[in-house]
Amino acid sequence: MKITRNAQAHWAGTGKDGQGSVTTASTVLNQTQYSYKTRFENGVGTNPEELVAAAHAGCFAMQLAFNIQQAGFAADSLDVNCAITLEDGGITSSVLTLKAAVPGLDKAKFDELVDHAEHNCPISKLFNTTIKVDATLA
């Protein structure tokens, strides 16, 4: 199966003083503002690293849910936080923190399923960076 998703970015002005917006085909993001201030300071709007963090957290959670289902279990909840670090002009790490509630799943199998999701969700495969998962099974 081949799926193509689209998003557009618009930028006007210089790198530091300009402004941009991003829009996704689904319009979940619709001319969502981003700028130097939203990326490197604390301005209102989004930034590429925040969007990558959301993508990685969501992708990892869904991959893990499929892994858990394939192992014969169902998650009550998978809560994933992703911290993307931008350093020296590149993304240097993606740290996923997972809190999972999966009735009946033992720790050894849980760790195996998490490891698989860490290395095999499509966004993880996209990165050329260190990816770390800190996972807790309740």
Side-chain angles (χ1 to χ4, degrees), residues 5-24:
R5 302 290 186 211
N6 294 289
Q8 298 79 39
H10 170 78
W11 189 268
T14 66
K16 188 166 185 177
D17 296 320
Q19 292 231 104
S21 65
V22 292
T23 300
T24 58

Side-chain angles (χ1 to χ4, degrees), residues 66-137:
F66 278 114
N67 292 355
I68 290 168
Q69 178 182 4
Q70 189 172 18
F73 300 91
D76 284 346
S77 63
L78 300 173
D79 295 308
V80 182
N81 181 76
C82 180
I84 293 291
T85 300
L86 175 66
E87 183 176 35
D88 298 327
I91 292 176
T92 57
S93 70
S94 178
V95 177
L96 298 164
T97 303
L98 164 67
K99 291 183 182 171
V102 186
L105 183 62
D106 67 65
K107 180 77 166 108
K109 187 64 173 178
F110 172 73
D111 289 343
E112 175 188 323
L113 299 175
V114 167
D115 183 69
H116 179 274
E118 175 183 351
H119 294 97
N120 291 286
C121 91
I123 299 298
S124 288
K125 289 180 177 183
L126 176 67
F127 287 134
N128 182 21
T129 189
T130 300
I131 298 169
K132 179 183 178 278
V133 179
D134 178 15
T136 304
L137 178 61

Side-chain angles (χ1 to χ4, degrees), residues 2-60:
K2 180 179 179 180
I3 299 170
T4 302
R5 302 290 186 211
N6 294 289
Q8 298 79 39
H10 170 78
W11 189 268
T14 66
K16 188 166 185 177
D17 296 320
Q19 292 231 104
S21 65
V22 292
T23 300
T24 58
S26 68
T27 68
V28 168
L29 298 176
N30 190 4
Q31 297 183 357
T32 302
Q33 189 268 1
Y34 75 108
S35 66
Y36 178 90
K37 288 183 180 182
T38 65
R39 192 169 195 183
F40 300 108
E41 297 173 6
N42 289 315
V44 176
T46 193
N47 59 71
E49 291 72 32
E50 179 179 70
L51 297 172
V52 169
H56 200 197
C59 184
F60 173 82

